[in-house]
Amino acid sequence: MKPSTPKEIALKAKLKSLNILDKDIKESFIHSGGKGGQNVNKVATCVQLVHEPTGIVIKCSRTRQQGLNRYWAYLMLAEKIEAQSTAKKDAKRHVSEKTRRTNRKRSMRSKQRMLEDKKHQSDKKAQRRDFI
């Protein structure tokens, strides 16, 4: 994809920041369907992108123009890969936060409350035991 407009240059920069290489993307053009009349029936305006490292497949036939569909397909691919990578980072952060929370020391007040609850439970059980 050769960038020519400012939005295509911005898209190219986004792809580069996400480490999406042109050689990893398999691009094909197919006939789209729906509205558009003879143009969509005769010309391959639908763009299909396959990002081989992740296995993500994007099909785009938003407009009747192949070039514009190509731009939208690359944009959707970048967004999907970005969402996937942020989801992985969020999951990793969530796990580390959870382990941090479980390993931290309790405050004196919460410890006291927990011990009071335990004492209350043991008293209830002791009363049941004594009743014969």
Side-chain angles (χ1 to χ4, degrees), residues 10-47:
L11 175 62
K12 197 69 172 172
K14 186 173 186 175
L15 291 173
K16 191 173 184 178
S17 71
L18 292 170
N19 295 326
I20 302 171
L21 305 174
D22 287 339
K23 67 178 182 177
D24 294 339
I25 298 172
K26 189 176 169 187
E27 185 177 62
S28 58
F29 303 99
I30 50 181
H31 290 286
S32 54
K35 296 176 184 173
Q38 187 178 6
N39 185 59
V40 295
N41 296 328
K42 200 166 90 173
V43 182
T45 55
C46 182
V47 178

Short mmCIF file of all heavy atoms in Angstrom, two decimals, residues 10-47:
data_model
loop_
_atom_site.label_atom_id
_atom_site.label_comp_id
_atom_site.label_asym_id
_atom_site.label_seq_id
_atom_site.Cartn_x
_atom_site.Cartn_y
_atom_site.Cartn_z
N ALA A 10 -1.15 8.48 7.86
CA ALA A 10 -1.43 8.21 9.27
C ALA A 10 -1.69 6.72 9.49
O ALA A 10 -1.24 6.13 10.49
CB ALA A 10 -2.63 9.03 9.73
N LEU A 11 -2.41 6.09 8.56
CA LEU A 11 -2.70 4.66 8.66
C LEU A 11 -1.40 3.86 8.57
O LEU A 11 -1.19 2.91 9.33
CB LEU A 11 -3.66 4.23 7.56
CG LEU A 11 -3.95 2.73 7.46
CD1 LEU A 11 -4.61 2.23 8.73
CD2 LEU A 11 -4.82 2.44 6.27
N LYS A 12 -0.53 4.25 7.66
CA LYS A 12 0.76 3.56 7.50
C LYS A 12 1.59 3.67 8.78
O LYS A 12 2.22 2.70 9.21
CB LYS A 12 1.52 4.17 6.31
CG LYS A 12 2.63 3.33 5.80
CD LYS A 12 2.10 2.09 5.12
CE LYS A 12 3.23 1.34 4.45
NZ LYS A 12 2.81 0.06 3.94
N ALA A 13 1.55 4.83 9.42
CA ALA A 13 2.27 5.03 10.69
C ALA A 13 1.69 4.14 11.78
O ALA A 13 2.43 3.57 12.60
CB ALA A 13 2.23 6.49 11.10
N LYS A 14 0.36 4.02 11.79
CA LYS A 14 -0.30 3.17 12.79
C LYS A 14 0.08 1.70 12.59
O LYS A 14 0.36 0.98 13.55
CB LYS A 14 -1.82 3.34 12.70
CG LYS A 14 -2.59 2.63 13.78
CD LYS A 14 -4.05 2.98 13.71
CE LYS A 14 -4.78 2.38 14.90
NZ LYS A 14 -6.17 2.77 14.94
N LEU A 15 0.11 1.27 11.32
CA LEU A 15 0.50 -0.11 11.02
C LEU A 15 1.94 -0.36 11.45
O LEU A 15 2.26 -1.42 11.99
CB LEU A 15 0.34 -0.39 9.53
CG LEU A 15 -1.09 -0.45 8.98
CD1 LEU A 15 -1.07 -0.56 7.47
CD2 LEU A 15 -1.87 -1.58 9.59
N LYS A 16 2.79 0.62 11.22
CA LYS A 16 4.20 0.48 11.60
C LYS A 16 4.35 0.42 13.12
O LYS A 16 5.13 -0.36 13.65
CB LYS A 16 5.01 1.64 11.03
CG LYS A 16 6.49 1.45 11.14
CD LYS A 16 7.25 2.55 10.42
CE LYS A 16 8.73 2.28 10.48
NZ LYS A 16 9.50 3.29 9.76
N SER A 17 3.58 1.23 13.85
CA SER A 17 3.66 1.23 15.31
C SER A 17 3.18 -0.09 15.90
O SER A 17 3.61 -0.50 16.98
CB SER A 17 2.87 2.39 15.90
OG SER A 17 1.49 2.17 15.75
N LEU A 18 2.26 -0.77 15.22
CA LEU A 18 1.75 -2.06 15.68
C LEU A 18 2.58 -3.23 15.16
O LEU A 18 2.23 -4.39 15.39
CB LEU A 18 0.29 -2.24 15.24
CG LEU A 18 -0.73 -1.31 15.89
CD1 LEU A 18 -2.07 -1.43 15.20
CD2 LEU A 18 -0.86 -1.62 17.36
N ASN A 19 3.67 -2.94 14.44
CA ASN A 19 4.56 -3.95 13.85
C ASN A 19 3.82 -4.85 12.87
O ASN A 19 4.02 -6.07 12.84
CB ASN A 19 5.24 -4.79 14.93
CG ASN A 19 6.17 -3.97 15.78
OD1 ASN A 19 6.79 -3.03 15.28
ND2 ASN A 19 6.26 -4.28 17.05
N ILE A 20 2.95 -4.27 12.06
CA ILE A 20 2.25 -5.01 11.01
C ILE A 20 3.02 -4.77 9.72
O ILE A 20 3.08 -3.65 9.22
CB ILE A 20 0.79 -4.54 10.87
CG1 ILE A 20 0.05 -4.70 12.19
CG2 ILE A 20 0.10 -5.30 9.77
CD1 ILE A 20 -1.32 -4.08 12.22
N LEU A 21 3.60 -5.82 9.19
CA LEU A 21 4.41 -5.72 7.98
C LEU A 21 3.58 -6.06 6.74
O LEU A 21 2.66 -6.87 6.81
CB LEU A 21 5.62 -6.66 8.07
CG LEU A 21 6.50 -6.49 9.31
CD1 LEU A 21 7.56 -7.58 9.35
CD2 LEU A 21 7.16 -5.12 9.31
N ASP A 22 3.94 -5.43 5.62
CA ASP A 22 3.23 -5.70 4.37
C ASP A 22 3.37 -7.16 3.93
O ASP A 22 2.45 -7.72 3.35
CB ASP A 22 3.73 -4.78 3.26
CG ASP A 22 3.25 -3.34 3.44
OD1 ASP A 22 2.24 -3.15 4.15
OD2 ASP A 22 3.87 -2.42 2.86
N LYS A 23 4.52 -7.76 4.22
CA LYS A 23 4.74 -9.14 3.79
C LYS A 23 3.89 -10.14 4.57
O LYS A 23 3.67 -11.25 4.12
CB LYS A 23 6.22 -9.50 3.89
CG LYS A 23 6.74 -9.55 5.31
CD LYS A 23 8.19 -9.95 5.35
CE LYS A 23 8.64 -10.02 6.82
NZ LYS A 23 10.01 -10.48 6.93
N ASP A 24 3.39 -9.73 5.75
CA ASP A 24 2.54 -10.61 6.57
C ASP A 24 1.08 -10.57 6.15
O ASP A 24 0.28 -11.38 6.62
CB ASP A 24 2.62 -10.21 8.04
CG ASP A 24 4.00 -10.45 8.63
OD1 ASP A 24 4.75 -11.26 8.06
OD2 ASP A 24 4.31 -9.83 9.67
N ILE A 25 0.73 -9.62 5.27
CA ILE A 25 -0.67 -9.46 4.88
C ILE A 25 -0.87 -10.00 3.46
O ILE A 25 -0.18 -9.63 2.53
CB ILE A 25 -1.07 -7.97 4.92
CG1 ILE A 25 -0.93 -7.43 6.34
CG2 ILE A 25 -2.50 -7.79 4.43
CD1 ILE A 25 -1.12 -5.95 6.45
N LYS A 26 -1.84 -10.89 3.34
CA LYS A 26 -2.21 -11.44 2.04
C LYS A 26 -3.47 -10.71 1.60
O LYS A 26 -4.48 -10.72 2.29
CB LYS A 26 -2.48 -12.94 2.19
CG LYS A 26 -2.66 -13.67 0.91
CD LYS A 26 -2.80 -15.16 1.21
CE LYS A 26 -3.25 -15.90 -0.02
NZ LYS A 26 -3.55 -17.29 0.31
N GLU A 27 -3.39 -10.07 0.46
CA GLU A 27 -4.47 -9.20 -0.01
C GLU A 27 -5.10 -9.80 -1.27
O GLU A 27 -4.40 -10.23 -2.17
CB GLU A 27 -3.85 -7.83 -0.32
CG GLU A 27 -4.82 -6.76 -0.70
CD GLU A 27 -4.09 -5.44 -0.90
OE1 GLU A 27 -3.23 -5.36 -1.79
OE2 GLU A 27 -4.43 -4.50 -0.18
N SER A 28 -6.43 -9.83 -1.30
CA SER A 28 -7.13 -10.30 -2.49
C SER A 28 -8.37 -9.45 -2.72
O SER A 28 -8.92 -8.87 -1.79
CB SER A 28 -7.49 -11.78 -2.35
OG SER A 28 -8.29 -11.98 -1.22
N PHE A 29 -8.77 -9.40 -3.97
CA PHE A 29 -9.93 -8.59 -4.36
C PHE A 29 -10.98 -9.53 -4.95
O PHE A 29 -10.68 -10.35 -5.80
CB PHE A 29 -9.53 -7.53 -5.38
CG PHE A 29 -8.44 -6.63 -4.89
CD1 PHE A 29 -7.12 -6.84 -5.25
CD2 PHE A 29 -8.73 -5.58 -4.04
CE1 PHE A 29 -6.11 -6.02 -4.78
CE2 PHE A 29 -7.73 -4.75 -3.57
CZ PHE A 29 -6.42 -4.98 -3.94
N ILE A 30 -12.21 -9.40 -4.45
CA ILE A 30 -13.29 -10.28 -4.89
C ILE A 30 -14.50 -9.44 -5.25
O ILE A 30 -14.60 -8.27 -4.88
CB ILE A 30 -13.64 -11.31 -3.80
CG1 ILE A 30 -13.86 -10.62 -2.45
CG2 ILE A 30 -12.58 -12.36 -3.67
CD1 ILE A 30 -14.20 -11.55 -1.30
N HIS A 31 -15.44 -10.05 -5.96
CA HIS A 31 -16.66 -9.36 -6.32
C HIS A 31 -17.51 -9.17 -5.06
O HIS A 31 -17.70 -10.10 -4.29
CB HIS A 31 -17.47 -10.16 -7.34
CG HIS A 31 -16.85 -10.21 -8.69
ND1 HIS A 31 -16.85 -9.14 -9.55
CD2 HIS A 31 -16.17 -11.20 -9.33
CE1 HIS A 31 -16.21 -9.48 -10.66
NE2 HIS A 31 -15.79 -10.73 -10.54
N SER A 32 -17.97 -7.97 -4.86
CA SER A 32 -18.86 -7.73 -3.73
C SER A 32 -20.30 -7.85 -4.22
O SER A 32 -20.55 -7.92 -5.42
CB SER A 32 -18.60 -6.36 -3.11
OG SER A 32 -18.69 -5.36 -4.08
N GLY A 33 -21.22 -7.86 -3.31
CA GLY A 33 -22.62 -7.97 -3.68
C GLY A 33 -23.41 -6.81 -3.12
O GLY A 33 -22.86 -5.92 -2.49
N GLY A 34 -24.69 -6.83 -3.37
CA GLY A 34 -25.55 -5.79 -2.81
C GLY A 34 -25.71 -4.61 -3.73
O GLY A 34 -25.65 -4.72 -4.96
N LYS A 35 -25.90 -3.44 -3.13
CA LYS A 35 -26.17 -2.22 -3.91
C LYS A 35 -24.93 -1.81 -4.68
O LYS A 35 -23.81 -2.01 -4.24
CB LYS A 35 -26.59 -1.10 -2.98
CG LYS A 35 -27.90 -1.38 -2.28
CD LYS A 35 -28.24 -0.28 -1.32
CE LYS A 35 -29.49 -0.65 -0.56
NZ LYS A 35 -29.77 0.32 0.50
N GLY A 36 -25.12 -1.21 -5.82
CA GLY A 36 -24.00 -0.74 -6.62
C GLY A 36 -24.19 -1.10 -8.08
O GLY A 36 -23.45 -0.64 -8.93
N GLY A 37 -25.16 -1.94 -8.35
CA GLY A 37 -25.50 -2.26 -9.73
C GLY A 37 -24.41 -2.99 -10.48
O GLY A 37 -23.73 -3.85 -9.94
N GLN A 38 -24.24 -2.58 -11.72
CA GLN A 38 -23.31 -3.26 -12.61
C GLN A 38 -21.87 -3.16 -12.09
O GLN A 38 -21.08 -4.08 -12.26
CB GLN A 38 -23.40 -2.66 -14.01
CG GLN A 38 -22.59 -3.40 -15.03
CD GLN A 38 -22.75 -2.80 -16.41
OE1 GLN A 38 -23.37 -1.76 -16.56
NE2 GLN A 38 -22.18 -3.45 -17.40
N ASN A 39 -21.54 -2.07 -11.43
CA ASN A 39 -20.17 -1.86 -10.95
C ASN A 39 -19.73 -2.97 -10.01
O ASN A 39 -18.66 -3.54 -10.19
CB ASN A 39 -20.06 -0.51 -10.24
CG ASN A 39 -18.65 -0.18 -9.83
OD1 ASN A 39 -17.77 -0.12 -10.66
ND2 ASN A 39 -18.44 0.00 -8.55
N VAL A 40 -20.56 -3.31 -9.01
CA VAL A 40 -20.15 -4.34 -8.05
C VAL A 40 -20.23 -5.74 -8.65
O VAL A 40 -19.55 -6.65 -8.20
CB VAL A 40 -20.96 -4.28 -6.72
CG1 VAL A 40 -20.67 -3.01 -5.99
CG2 VAL A 40 -22.42 -4.50 -6.96
N ASN A 41 -21.06 -5.93 -9.67
CA ASN A 41 -21.16 -7.24 -10.30
C ASN A 41 -20.01 -7.51 -11.25
O ASN A 41 -19.62 -8.65 -11.47
CB ASN A 41 -22.48 -7.36 -11.06
CG ASN A 41 -23.68 -7.28 -10.14
OD1 ASN A 41 -23.60 -7.70 -9.00
ND2 ASN A 41 -24.77 -6.73 -10.63
N LYS A 42 -19.47 -6.46 -11.85
CA LYS A 42 -18.45 -6.60 -12.88
C LYS A 42 -17.03 -6.40 -12.37
O LYS A 42 -16.11 -7.05 -12.83
CB LYS A 42 -18.75 -5.55 -13.96
CG LYS A 42 -18.13 -5.84 -15.30
CD LYS A 42 -18.75 -4.96 -16.36
CE LYS A 42 -17.96 -3.67 -16.46
NZ LYS A 42 -18.39 -2.84 -17.57
N VAL A 43 -16.85 -5.52 -11.38
CA VAL A 43 -15.52 -5.14 -10.89
C VAL A 43 -15.32 -5.73 -9.49
O VAL A 43 -16.23 -5.70 -8.67
CB VAL A 43 -15.38 -3.60 -10.85
CG1 VAL A 43 -14.00 -3.20 -10.38
CG2 VAL A 43 -15.69 -3.01 -12.21
N ALA A 44 -14.12 -6.22 -9.22
CA ALA A 44 -13.81 -6.78 -7.90
C ALA A 44 -13.52 -5.64 -6.94
O ALA A 44 -12.38 -5.21 -6.79
CB ALA A 44 -12.62 -7.72 -8.01
N THR A 45 -14.56 -5.14 -6.27
CA THR A 45 -14.39 -4.00 -5.37
C THR A 45 -14.22 -4.40 -3.91
O THR A 45 -13.75 -3.62 -3.11
CB THR A 45 -15.59 -3.04 -5.48
OG1 THR A 45 -16.78 -3.78 -5.22
CG2 THR A 45 -15.66 -2.41 -6.85
N CYS A 46 -14.60 -5.61 -3.56
CA CYS A 46 -14.47 -6.06 -2.17
C CYS A 46 -13.01 -6.45 -1.91
O CYS A 46 -12.39 -7.14 -2.71
CB CYS A 46 -15.38 -7.26 -1.93
SG CYS A 46 -15.35 -7.87 -0.24
N VAL A 47 -12.49 -6.00 -0.77
CA VAL A 47 -11.10 -6.27 -0.42
C VAL A 47 -11.08 -7.26 0.74
O VAL A 47 -11.81 -7.10 1.72
CB VAL A 47 -10.38 -4.97 -0.01
CG1 VAL A 47 -8.95 -5.25 0.40
CG2 VAL A 47 -10.42 -3.96 -1.14
#
